[in-house]
């Protein structure tokens, strides 16, 4: 299924007048409207292939209807999202859940949908049928060299798939860790991981990056071998310039000041990218912006400040990706909500009066600094986000239009009610 | 498979001399040795039917070998545990994972193994094949009365199964909650839950109890409808004297003083029982005593104090059960470790010099109070636990004997390497 | 110092045109504008007498200038706040920091400033010079009856002060707890607390309430005797209808769903009121709305829903108070920011489309429920809050006007640079 | 006051027989008893000068009697502790609370008491009377170069004091951070801190070290400029080989796996030392070992393993210090309890069967690894600790002997009941 552009245009037409009024008012407070709109227009967030189906927990999964059954259908779904919001122009594949057997055909389908391929993701946290060694006790950190070599080989194979599709980065998330004190020698686990990553690093094409994710716990509940940004940074430093740290918003202990970590990683030139989601407890993988939107804004505030300080391109110099688990919402709608929330936070961050903020900071005028941030945050930036979407051919209101056009109903008709996408 | 008593006796024989020496020394510091040993000897912890197979996380599961394939084999496994430690004389069934199709036969098998049936557990957190209504959005709290009625009917059916087997309690854990702000009207969810529980309560036989579990999060990540002891207590109060609160050690926010909750529930006559496990982060379901054994001791200290204050029988007036997820350890060995850890904590609590502690408390002699508790905690009580096991026909060292007798190897021979027990 | 009304009117005049434009746009999306404005206009938040000076931590305090040196000057400061925002028409006194030696004179000064007296607060967490018994080991829960009686007598004296000033509630926060396992018998501590509160309850005038606060930790770090809403509720239930539970936003373990607690307490008719602040870690006592404004909105969403369900008056049936520690910001400005943040959250909650939300909940349309809440939250409601202030004679922009009128500079001139207000 | 050695010997005599029996039994399970005893005998933990008085919280402080009034009396108190436990042979001074006006006299007093001077601690988290610039908004990270220079100068002065006394390390704990989003530019704060530390580093004598502490929050509640081990490590790496990271057990978010951090810092040669305490919530500064003694054991397990792997001397190659706040216990008794708890954990760690553990890890025999650790932990090692004390002239039971000899009563006689030591 693809959405006819005229349908989106029709939907926009109904809301256009009201939108224009709101935009005019919003514009009054924005200094450099065109720049803001231009930045919003070029901003894209990758969609992971595994997020297009219903997710679950260890207690169960409740599937939805019309889930994509093949990689092609997953591309189709991202195409639908991108058609609606014009901000999701890439897909991030997970191997082996989504092996592209026929790379040229897949690439061609993607191109047709206006999509390209973001980072490829390896999986050494599950055993696949017929696999020689088990990852029950880890992969790149494993005490047994044979297991490590198998995991390294898998990562190199994932790079190969990525090369065929035009990806430029390998994203590595390890569940390696331990459930009980004594199970692991932390130092050796770290050294084994480093050695394994060095092997993978050596196999990276010249223009590729490797992104090293960290996470404090789950699925291991005593230790994780790459547990925090410091450990990921240490590995990335030892690996070299092509390695950097990937931040998943849900991969932090409660209370962690994530925005400060973002600032420091940017300062050190080691911020690879983001996995967006939101959480109240642990790695809850809820829709980004649904629990603590102010934190999301504060993170974007650091991103804008830190990237500008290094003359980085907001749209392309950091890998932006959603990584959530849509357990009870329609995955496509949830992804549309996610991208909207991200763009809203980004727009708010763009509106921050940096010069005034800098001055307030220099004066330790804490109350004023807060006012400046909240002035931007409390602004209703939805008209700006809508205008950016409109100008690039998307829907003024992607979520509403998704509903209005009965997208899910059509997908169910096409694919059936009892489909289950690969993934968690 | 059953363990021949002679094999255990032989194993004990090898360690007997050393044990007797250690016991003699340990006894020197114990005022009322026989009472302590007698209490340890009669103490039993129920084994849940779902804990006999390998557990998993949402990221995957790595099965072990020789897992029980039927309810009969699960009973067998509990029989093995009980033979080794003489402290696991009951099994707690989960419906529908372990429906006893032929109750008399199952009951007879249990009796033969020296076992009886602890609380029965309902399951309304997963959908079963052919189920009319889905629990995707909850069960007893559901907005739709038809779903609530289905869930109530299931619970009443579980009571029926329990009656046939001689159980005396229904244990209710609800995953009902919400993932996103706005999803739920908290008040109505609470009222619906209360009404549903009232229907179930009405169906309870006169000599039965209903135990209401609480949990702050997972599998829902914004709210849980019975989120904390206060909410469970409120429901139990409104339900009546047959209802009380079940404490699962992993079902608390970080930092919760669980022992204080235990004390208050005991004070109010509303402590139903325990699900034992341990955790470092959330509901990690690790082996009890493997992460924070001092906390376990402190909880037992309150249990002993609070039960004695109400003249309760330690062995029978509270429901003791393990509820852990054995993801990477042999389930039987893990359960043996668990029961040992519980008995050690219990023994330490029995050794606390209550009179001296009371006096220190009256004098606000905080340093002395700490010394008194740690005097008991730092004592090596393993000889006492071993002696209690020995006297009741168990192994001096259940975990070691389990290994020495190659129990798992024999089970794999009997059942095969690629078995998967029902459960999470 | 008092602010001349003309100065505020002048300041408003400068912003009036822009305000009116913004209000007109905002009004388009509000169904019942006048009702919303009326509710915002009558909404007031009490200012605690101890919040008018600079606060500190155990590591030190850095005083600001022009802090109020007397109770009269504290009233003056609240008068300034109320003149600017017309939403702070009462002060909450803390005894013995602010003993009103001459009640009629103080009352008359308050009346002149348009203020009245909110709940009075007792203090049994510090020793005062000349005090017979120390509260080192607690007050209402103390093992020594003489200490408990002294603490009860203090509370009764506080009621007396409150009666003279026209207060109608006693607010009780206990720091009673323990720092080490073994220090306390939890059950007896609870019973002693209950007994002490019963004595205080008996001394309450007929038209008074007693509000029982809870807190999980600090200044005690192992247990607190009234640790959570459940324990406060249990006490309030046993005390009777004049007792209810006070919620301080900072008094929760990380991850607590406070809005759910609010909903349940409202359901049970036991929600006394609020102490507003914000936090990232523990009881950080930061400016309300400065860390997680969405949570504040969600709490107000429950308040509006739950109060409406019981036909309660938003303005008067709950005690609203700020309780923050202004360690590095100007206390008056911080309080103005706080009240603005509260009114913004309240206004957003008033804008929630309750009917649509109810329908979405009935349909388990989780995505839509989120859209409905965020539709209200993302709206820029500042024009509504400004209009409500304008209509009642306050400033359109209280914080800005406070700065523009150089209020602090004038206070420093009057009072000096090195003043230190009583309080933490 | 000093304790006559004969008094200790007399006290020991009373317990000697029982001790010898227990030691004999304990010795049966220890492979290399003399090595263990020798290691325990040479192990010392420094006492901070500020820990000898009663501590407090922001809500108040309840002083005890007989607190040391001068630096000389603080040395005396450490002398008492060391006389009793023979494991506290150094004191760590805090400047400016304990400025040694007459260094030779102080040094001579220390020598007489068998003490030397551990790391010196600077204080830029409080303003001192007459100080030119305030640290209200930070010190080494301050936006104003003049403030940073003042703070650098203070640290250099502290080094000077330390040199006069024979210290070899400067310990830097910064409270620098922010309370509100927007207050701080994280990157510039980090760069300013680095630059300031570089100036201090340049002033370090050749044989000195600088230890950089980290802490996630308090007294700032939004961000701390050196917030975690990663940020401290980053600074220490940039500074050079004389800089390393100091771990305070209370300075971590809940759930942090501290033992893993210890292992990694050791691996990188960047572990400076420890500040021992315990906590249930935040930086509670409770007696080490009073809340989670198993964690303390696990940390020592990593220390022993990691130090042995680098051939480090347990006694001297890491800085061991207590840093707790004795709010309601006798400070000297609390410190004695602390050192006992540390030595117990150290002894347990020494008993771990490293070879067997290594083998279990190589086999991923998780259950066995747990058994091996707990075998050591469950052993009653108090006879070993007592024997080490006895052999070096200390008390078999330092806490008991402290009470038996009425040390505090004698100090109160000497110093009075209403003394207040400098410190928090």
């Amino acid at each position: 299924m693809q959405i006819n552009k005229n349908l989106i245009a029709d939907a926009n037409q109904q809301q256009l007048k009201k939108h224009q009024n709101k935009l005019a008012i919003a514009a009054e407070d924005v200094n450099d409207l065109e720049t803001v709109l231009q930045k919003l227009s070029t901003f894209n967030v990758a969609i992971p292939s595994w997020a297009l189906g219903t997710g679950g927990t260890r207690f169960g999964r409740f599937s939805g209807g019309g889930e994509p059954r093949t990689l092609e259908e997953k591309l189709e779904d991202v195409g639908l999202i991108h058609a609606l919001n014009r901000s999701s122009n890439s897909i991030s594949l997970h191997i082996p859940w989504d092996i592209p057997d026929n790379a040229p055909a897949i690439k061609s389908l993607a191109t047709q949908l206006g999509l390209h391929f973001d980072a490829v993701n390896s999986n050494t946290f599950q055993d696949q049928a017929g696999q020689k060694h088990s990852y029950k006790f880890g992969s790149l950190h494993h005490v047994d060299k044979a297991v490590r070599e198998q995991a390294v080989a898998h990562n190199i194979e994932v790079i190969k798939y990525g090369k065929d599709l035009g990806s430029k980065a390998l994203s590595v998330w390890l569940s390696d860790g331990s459930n009980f004190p004594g199970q692991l020698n932390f130092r050796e686990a770290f050294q084994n991981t480093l050695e394994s990553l060095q092997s993978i690093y050596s196999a990276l094409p010249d223009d590729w990056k490797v992104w090293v994710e960290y996470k404090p716990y789950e699925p291991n509940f005593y230790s994780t071998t790459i547990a925090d940004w410091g450990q990921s940074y240490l590995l990335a430093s030892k690996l070299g310039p092509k390695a950097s740290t990937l931040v998943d918003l849900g991969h932090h202990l409660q209370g962690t000041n994530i925005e400060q970590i973002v600032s420091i990683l940017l300062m050190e030139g080691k911020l690879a990218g983001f996995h967006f989601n939101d959480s109240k407890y642990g790695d809850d993988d809820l829709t980004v912006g649904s629990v603590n939107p102010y934190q999301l804004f504060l993170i974007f505030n650091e991103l804008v400040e830190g990237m500008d300080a290094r003359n980085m391109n907001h749209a392309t110099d950091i890998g932006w990706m959603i990584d959530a688990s849509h357990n009870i919402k329609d995955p496509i709608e949830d992804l549309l909500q996610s991208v909207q929330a991200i763009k809203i936070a980004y727009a708010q961050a763009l509106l921050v009066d940096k010069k005034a903020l800098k001055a307030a900071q220099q004066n330790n005028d804490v109350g004023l600094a807060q006012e400046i941030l909240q002035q931007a945050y409390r602004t209703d930036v939805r008209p700006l986000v809508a205008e950016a979407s409109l100008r690039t051919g998307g829907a003024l209101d992607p979520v509403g239009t998704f509903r209005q056009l009965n997208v899910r109903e059509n997908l169910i008709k096409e694919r059936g009610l009892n489909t289950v996408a690969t993934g968690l």
Side-chain angles (χ1 to χ4, degrees), chain A residues 4 53 100 110 113 123 125 177 190 239 291 344:
Chain A
N4 189 307
L113 296 165
N123 175 344
F125 53 89
F190 187 93
L239 286 171
V291 175
I344 284 173

Side-chain angles (χ1 to χ4, degrees), chain A residues 118-362:
Chain A
D118 198 71
V120 280
N121 303 266
S122 58
N123 175 344
T124 59
F125 53 89
Q126 292 179 323
D127 287 350
Q128 307 303 325
Q131 185 178 304
K132 188 165 182 197
H133 302 287
S134 169
Y135 297 133
K136 185 169 191 169
F137 300 105
S139 57
L140 298 186
H141 90 163
H142 203 283
V143 288
D144 182 350
K145 196 174 174 58
V147 183
R148 298 201 298 273
E149 285 174 348
Q150 172 182 292
V152 167
H154 166 70
N155 274 278
I156 291 173
E157 193 194 6
V158 171
I159 294 172
K160 194 194 78 48
Y161 285 120
K163 277 202 292 193
D164 293 346
L165 295 171
S167 288
K168 294 292 176 202
L170 170 71
S171 183
V172 177
W173 172 61
L174 295 181
S175 75
D176 295 19
S178 67
N179 271 323
F180 296 98
Q183 179 183 342
L184 213 62
N185 182 302
F186 297 130
R187 191 178 64 252
E188 291 177 13
F190 187 93
Q191 296 293 358
N192 285 340
T193 305
L194 175 59
E195 196 185 293
S196 300
L197 285 171
Q198 281 165 335
S199 300
I200 296 166
Y201 192 91
S202 308
L204 276 183
D206 286 349
D207 58 346
W208 272 54
K209 304 280 182 191
V210 58
W211 299 345
V212 181
E213 209 163 339
Y214 59 91
K215 183 175 185 179
Y217 66 94
E218 199 214 15
N220 278 291
F221 294 108
Y222 171 62
S223 75
T224 301
T225 293
I226 312 179
D228 58 21
W229 78 269
Q231 293 169 47
S232 170
Y233 168 85
L234 200 55
L235 288 166
S237 305
K238 290 173 191 282
L239 286 171
K242 290 193 275 186
S244 51
T245 295
L246 182 71
V247 177
D248 181 300
L249 295 186
H251 292 191
H252 300 87
L253 295 175
Q254 289 208 355
T256 302
N257 189 318
I258 303 173
E259 49 270 36
Q260 187 181 9
I261 292 172
V262 164
S263 173
I264 287 173
L265 286 172
L266 273 172
M267 175 182 78
E268 295 294 311
K270 284 291 190 190
L271 182 63
F274 268 84
H275 280 186
F276 288 112
N277 50 58
D278 211 338
S279 59
K280 191 170 173 67
Y281 305 98
D283 189 27
D284 307 342
D285 274 337
L286 301 180
T287 320
V288 58
S290 68
V291 175
N292 193 341
Y294 194 53
Q295 186 189 49
L296 185 64
F297 161 73
L298 293 175
I299 289 168
F300 267 99
N301 187 45
E302 293 305 324
L303 283 165
V304 167
E305 199 275 344
M307 292 179 84
D308 287 350
R310 296 177 72 93
N311 287 315
M312 292 166 75
N313 183 318
H314 295 187
T316 55
D317 285 354
I318 290 273
W320 312 108
M321 192 176 101
I322 290 166
D323 186 7
S325 184
H326 318 293
N327 300 355
I328 56 168
K329 292 201 281 189
D330 182 303
I332 293 179
E333 183 173 291
D334 207 347
L335 290 161
L336 288 169
Q337 284 185 320
S338 298
V339 178
Q340 288 304 101
I342 292 167
K343 288 170 80 177
I344 284 173
Y346 178 41
Q348 290 164 332
L350 291 172
L351 293 199
V352 170
D353 185 339
K354 272 91 188 165
K355 213 169 145 185
L357 181 62
K358 183 90 200 165
Q361 289 169 344
Q362 284 301 320

